[in-house]
Every structure is written in C-alpha cells, then in structure tokens.
Amino acid sequence: MAYLEYQKQTKQVVEIHESEPTVSSDYDYAVSENFTVSDEFEWTIWVNGVDVDKNLTSHSAIRNNPNAKRLLQENEQLKATNTLLTSELAKVKIDLMLMKGGVS
C-alpha cells in the first residue's frame, strides 16, 4: 500500500510514501495499491478522486521522460550527500575550535 502525497490546489502528487505522511494544510494524501515509492519519478500523477477513507478512486498519470527520472533521483542523492557533508564539516569545525583552546 502506498500513500500518495499531493498538493490540494493542483492535485499533483509530489511524493509517494510507504507509511501515512504528516502533511501541511496545502497538501493531502490518498491511499493506493496501484503505485509504489519512487513511481513519482517515473510518472507525473494527478489525484482526481478520493473516497471518505482516503482511498484513491480516480487518477491521471503520464510517463515522464526517462532522463527526468534519472535526474530527479540523482538530485535526491546529491541533496542527501550535501546534508551529510554539511554535518561532517560542522563537526570538523567544532573539533578544530576545541583543539585551538576554545569555542567562540
């Protein structure tokens, strides 16, 4: 089962989750067994209908350019790497300040 997080105004799916997401007031989610996590990279998906239990009852989807899927996945990996490197750099700076005898 997948949880399709979508923007309420455009109805476009922005991310597919394995578990129920926490969404802001501009977003909602629909439950579907027709999609899996990462399908949002291969398809542009719109939520057309949802029942009272949040089950997806109608959708539209078009296949993305295969290069778009690859680029989006690479972008997500680069974001994760950047976050990790930023954290590691902060630790190194703290260690250097401690070695110099103080924190400012």
Side-chain angles (χ1 to χ4, degrees):
M1 182 171 307
Y3 296 82
L4 286 67
E5 180 179 349
Y6 64 93
Q7 185 186 41
K8 287 180 181 178
Q9 184 177 18
T10 64
K11 304 289 188 183
Q12 186 173 343
V13 173
V14 295
E15 187 173 354
I16 300 177
H17 304 269
E18 291 179 345
S19 58
E20 184 177 330
T22 302
V23 295
S24 70
S25 61
D26 293 333
Y27 293 84
D28 204 350
Y29 69 90
V31 181
S32 174
E33 293 189 16
N34 296 325
F35 294 100
T36 59
V37 172
S38 82
D39 279 348
E40 69 271 33
F41 296 118
E42 187 172 346
W43 299 89
T44 298
I45 307 162
W46 292 272
V47 173
N48 298 330
V50 178
D51 68 16
V52 295
D53 296 319
K54 295 197 176 281
N55 294 306
L56 183 67
T57 59
S58 176
H59 73 276
S60 301
I62 58 171
R63 188 178 296 275
N64 292 330
N65 179 317
N67 289 325
K69 177 181 179 180
R70 179 184 55 81
L71 291 172
L72 288 168
Q73 288 175 326
E74 286 177 5
N75 188 45
E76 288 301 313
Q77 180 59 47
L78 289 171
K79 284 180 186 178
T81 300
N82 186 41
T83 299
L84 177 65
L85 291 174
T86 300
S87 174
E88 291 298 318
L89 179 59
K91 290 176 187 174
V92 168
K93 286 181 178 180
I94 290 170
D95 289 345
L96 285 173
M97 283 191 271
L98 292 173
M99 288 174 38
K100 290 181 179 180
V103 178
S104 53

